[in-house]
Amino acid sequence: MSEAGASKTRVAIVTGAARGIGASIALRLAADGHDIAVIDLDALACSETVRGIEALGRRALAVGADVADETAVEQAVADVTAALGPPTIVVNNAGILRDRTIGKMSLADWDLVINVNLRGAFLMSRAVQAHMRAAGWGRIVNLSSTAALGNLGEANYAAAKAGVQGLTKTLAIELGRYGITANAVAPGFVETAMTAEVAARVGMTFEDMKQQAIAGTVVGRVGQPEDIAHAVSFFVDERSGYVTGQVLYVAGGPRG
């Protein structure tokens, strides 16, 4: 940290951290001085993130787990605790898209997106909060999205990300007495492999999609994973203990 004594080393869990925004968050929190458990569906896919964390001089652990699976989440948290110590920071970043307009959206599309994006945040927060309560300190940061305000073809994703905001505010109310804060970061368009895949699915070039996003903001650029990581770092900081129940839109000043 930039200020001496501003932070102590904590054990953090970052879900969906094999790549993109999650990987950037994991690396930023490692740079802030924390040990990091990187959770994704495939532990091997987390290897690059783990190497980056270790290069920063912090301990790292890759865990393969489906965040929508209750048993898998409980086992993952137990594995993290055994290897690194009790986690008192969790960043619920894992998420997926299955974009279709409502007439074409299957129940499987709906359930999968709700389960990973919303159920996963609930399960992980529930599993980790006991360690936070025991420590008398904790930080929960959930990833929402500007899609929570509604977005064409994303009824499932919008509902999940709006639900994440309600979950976050309720966790803040319930856990504040234990020294635990709960906040959400809601990104706008961020340049990642996942958004590139979205462009390919809808038949756009990624450059055209980025230009469309730029036209819809006031800052004249698209977001980068590091922009989101900076916001998460603020919420996790020891000095942010009076900030809870907040939703921070990191979206470049959307027009309209």
Side-chain angles (χ1 to χ4, degrees):
M1 301 298 294
S2 58
E3 289 185 23
S7 183
K8 62 180 288 188
T9 296
R10 307 279 186 176
V11 174
I13 291 175
V14 183
T15 68
R19 63 177 188 167
I21 291 172
S24 185
I25 291 169
L27 292 170
R28 174 57 188 266
L29 295 186
D32 288 346
H34 304 298
D35 297 329
I36 313 293
V38 180
I39 295 181
D40 216 299
L41 279 173
D42 181 3
L44 289 176
C46 301
S47 299
E48 185 175 348
T49 307
V50 166
R51 285 194 295 271
I53 294 165
E54 292 175 340
L56 292 166
R58 304 312 317 167
R59 295 185 300 157
L61 176 71
V63 179
D66 177 357
V67 297
D69 184 307
E70 181 179 23
T71 300
V73 166
E74 291 173 352
Q75 185 60 56
V77 172
D79 291 345
V80 172
T81 304
L84 300 178
T88 53
I89 298 167
V90 63
V91 182
N92 290 306
N93 167 76
I96 60 168
L97 293 167
R98 292 293 184 273
D99 291 2
R100 288 177 177 83
T101 54
I102 191 69
K104 298 177 181 178
M105 185 174 291
S106 69
L107 183 58
D109 293 331
W110 173 271
D111 286 344
L112 188 59
V113 170
I114 294 292
N115 286 345
V116 173
N117 292 278
L118 180 55
R119 175 186 167 105
F122 160 70
L123 289 174
M124 189 61 67
S125 298
R126 188 182 67 175
V128 173
Q129 58 85 32
H131 293 296
M132 297 178 177
R133 289 173 64 170
W137 189 94
R139 298 287 188 264
I140 298 170
V141 184
N142 296 320
L143 269 289
S144 181
S145 168
T146 54
L149 304 174
N151 203 34
L152 178 67
E154 292 190 336
N156 48 7
Y157 190 70
K161 292 305 189 181
V164 163
Q165 294 189 17
L167 170 66
T168 300
K169 290 178 179 291
T170 301
L171 292 175
I173 293 167
E174 293 183 356
L175 300 175
R177 73 191 73 179
Y178 305 109
I180 302 166
T181 66
N183 293 285
V185 176
F189 185 93
V190 178
E191 185 175 6
T192 66
M194 188 167 81
T195 49
E197 290 162 6
V198 171
R201 283 200 300 271
V202 300
M204 291 180 69
T205 69
F206 194 34
E207 188 58 36
D208 284 347
M209 179 171 277
K210 288 191 290 183
Q211 289 304 314
Q212 186 180 79
I214 290 168
T217 63
V218 301
V219 299
R221 69 174 178 88
V222 296
Q224 298 298 322
E226 293 77 15
D227 294 314
I228 311 308
H230 293 327
V232 172
S233 176
F234 165 73
F235 282 134
V236 168
D237 195 286
E238 298 273 349
R239 296 161 290 188
S240 297
Y242 201 54
V243 181
T244 194
Q246 301 304 301
V247 179
L248 176 58
Y249 285 88
V250 183
R255 299 180 185 274

